[in-house]
Amino acid sequence: MDPPPTTVPVPLAPARSPLWFVGVVWLAPLLLIAAPWLPDPDSPALPLAGQVLLSLLGLGLLLGFVLVPRRLSYTLTRTGLRVGRASGTFEWPYRDLRAQATGGALGLRVGGVGLPGYHSGNYAWKGDGPRQVQALSSGIHQHALVEVRGVPHFLTPADPEGFLRALVERGVPVSGSARGWQGGVKRPSSAREKALDPTQRRA
């Protein structure tokens, strides 16, 4: 039998943003690129250096909007859940995690970054449970809530139920309502899951 893989990449849910939001986000850099070169008879033209600077600024924003969502990733390792974001990569040890399957969605952004395909920072929570969550997600729906030392984080794996099941297999306590789950808490069925389930271990 082949040994289990050291790391297991978790596919992200596809980005789905309202068209108006996508339009507003993309309009800003396009205006910065084009506006300095548009003639305006009522005001003097910018110096060439200023025109180039504004266009380069718009181009930088445009590239950032394209590249930043690609930095988001989730990976299950032997020791924890590794998360990649725009500012870098970090890993949460499984022993520090709790997770749940729950309804709800991201609300208004309190602080952080909100782009089509990339949400990071503090967001209001529209649903039962916490009032605010920390988002590291590709969208505002199709999610799992993962608590890290008591702080709820909003993640968007492509298959939330499968993602939560994989966390259970790695010893993470998971609650919620999903198919095959009894009493709101996933009950370990195999010997491996029972061995990993903290509720089954003796002190």
Side-chain angles (χ1 to χ4, degrees):
M1 180 182 295
D2 295 333
T6 303
T7 60
V8 180
V10 179
L12 297 174
R16 295 188 179 94
S17 300
L19 290 179
W20 67 265
F21 178 63
V22 176
V24 168
V25 168
W26 285 98
L27 183 61
L30 292 176
L31 285 177
L32 280 175
I33 294 172
W37 307 96
L38 298 177
D40 186 355
D42 297 329
S43 61
L46 285 173
L48 180 60
Q51 292 176 310
V52 172
L53 182 61
L54 285 177
S55 294
L56 289 177
L57 178 60
L59 183 60
L61 286 175
L62 195 66
L63 289 175
F65 292 169
V66 171
L67 297 177
V68 164
R70 299 183 181 184
R71 298 282 296 170
L72 182 65
S73 64
Y74 313 136
T75 305
L76 297 170
T77 73
R78 290 190 184 277
T79 56
L81 173 59
R82 184 182 302 160
V83 179
R85 59 181 177 180
S87 59
T89 302
F90 57 90
E91 184 171 302
W92 294 320
Y94 293 127
R95 65 177 179 273
D96 294 338
L97 305 183
R98 295 183 64 88
Q100 58 180 308
T102 178
L106 290 184
L108 293 176
R109 177 164 52 92
V110 179
V113 178
L115 296 173
Y118 185 85
H119 300 269
S120 175
N122 197 17
Y123 281 73
W125 175 244
K126 297 194 298 184
D128 296 333
R131 297 181 60 183
Q132 294 184 353
V133 296
Q134 293 290 320
L136 288 166
S137 65
S138 59
I140 63 173
H141 298 288
Q142 191 171 343
H143 66 279
L145 283 182
V146 176
E147 288 189 9
V148 185
R149 303 183 189 94
V151 178
H153 287 74
F154 178 91
L155 308 182
T156 49
D159 179 9
E161 184 178 340
F163 174 69
L164 294 175
R165 187 177 297 112
L167 290 180
V168 168
E169 293 174 353
R170 289 160 174 81
V172 176
V174 176
S175 63
S177 56
R179 289 176 299 174
W181 297 31
Q182 300 175 357
V185 178
K186 175 68 170 66
R187 305 300 181 186
S189 56
S190 66
R192 172 179 170 78
E193 289 186 3
K194 290 179 180 178
L196 291 172
D197 184 7
T199 65
Q200 302 295 320
R201 298 174 186 167
R202 296 182 178 178

